[in-house]
């Protein structure tokens, strides 16, 4: 079975500082990895994905994520946080060998960026 | 504009009164899915459909039904809602192994 862990319920960072939101995964095969963001009273918006290729993936709004196969991690990063980045962030994984059926989400990490 | 739409956005109902939440996408995606979001539990998949007339259970299917008679529509049916189905529901669609597009959500309260 595949799973995703987001070990922090909440991450606090000051505006202008770098941010990291952690994600580790478990799949039997090779992973497809995704990050989504949810603003209050909104649906989920896609940020970035790792399918194959470069381990450093760049996405929307200046976010990036680093795929680390040996540590089974896919941490989300941004060099300089903005107050407007405050939102709920979800990591998700799909096993390449499982077909369309299963996209498993983590429980989410609330990011709070203070002015 | 490419989008997934859901209706209604908000619904308050009573135990046992059948309801349907509609979902429609205009991107010709084969794959559609329903999730529920609960605090501390993240998103959990209820049902998914790989194409017309092809549906399968996700992680939490009990108390729900779906149908996929047309490619663009994937309604979620609660035949006898109960209070533990009070939640925020999202429909999503995708093509291939790409990212999923999510609808705006339906907040359901069952009294």
């Amino acid at each position: 079975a595949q799973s995703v862990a987001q070990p922090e319920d909440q991450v606090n960072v000051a505006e202008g500082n770098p941010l990291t939101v952690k994600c580790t995964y478990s799949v039997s095969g090779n992973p497809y990895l995704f990050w989504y963001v949810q603003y209050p009273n909104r649906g989920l918006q896609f940020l970035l994905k790792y399918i194959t290729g470069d381990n450093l993936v760049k996405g929307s709004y200046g976010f990036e994520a680093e795929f680390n196969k040996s540590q089974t991690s896919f941490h989300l990063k941004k060099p300089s946080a903005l107050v407007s980045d405050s939102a709920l962030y979800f990591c998700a994984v799909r096993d390449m060998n499982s077909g369309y059926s299963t996209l498993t989400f983590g429980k989410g990490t609330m990011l709070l960026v203070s002015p | 504009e490419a989008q997934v739409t859901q209706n209604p956005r908000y619904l308050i109902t009573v135990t046992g009164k059948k309801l349907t939440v509609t979902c429609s996408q205009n991107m010709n995606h084969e794959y559609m899915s329903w999730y529920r979001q609960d605090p501390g539990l993240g998103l959990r998949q209820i049902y998914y459909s790989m194409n017309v007339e092809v549906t399968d259970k996700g992680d939490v299917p009990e108390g729900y039904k779906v149908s996929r008679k047309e490619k663009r529509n994937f309604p979620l049916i609660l035949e006898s809602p109960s209070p533990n189905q009070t939640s925020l529901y999202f429909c999503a669609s995708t093509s291939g192994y790409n990212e999923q597009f999510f609808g705006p959500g339906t907040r359901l309260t069952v009294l």
Side-chain angles (χ1 to χ4, degrees), chain A residues 74-89:
Chain A
F74 190 56
H75 301 331
L76 181 69
K77 300 181 180 183
K78 188 174 182 180
S80 179
L82 299 172
V83 172
S84 57
D85 292 330
S86 297
L88 185 58
Y89 290 80

Side-chain angles (χ1 to χ4, degrees), chain A residues 32 34 36 38 41-46 49 51 88 90 94-96 98-108, chain B residues 9-10 30-31 35 37 40-43 45 48 50 59 88 90 94-100 102-105 107:
Chain A
Y32 289 126
F34 303 84
Y36 289 85
Q38 184 180 31
N41 301 312
R42 301 284 298 275
L44 275 74
Q45 297 178 30
F46 168 75
K49 66 183 176 186
I51 304 296
L88 185 58
F90 290 98
R94 172 181 286 135
D95 189 332
M96 287 188 184
S98 71
Y100 283 166
S101 60
T102 309
L103 181 64
T104 300
F105 284 83
K107 295 182 179 181
Chain B
R9 294 289 312 280
Y10 302 91
E30 303 87 23
Y31 178 66
Y35 297 88
Q37 182 181 8
L41 297 177
L43 275 80
Q45 191 178 51
Y48 63 94
M50 294 179 65
D59 298 321
L88 180 58
F90 289 102
T94 190
S95 179
Y97 292 100
N98 296 314
E99 63 274 16
Q100 294 198 359
F102 282 83
R107 187 168 293 280

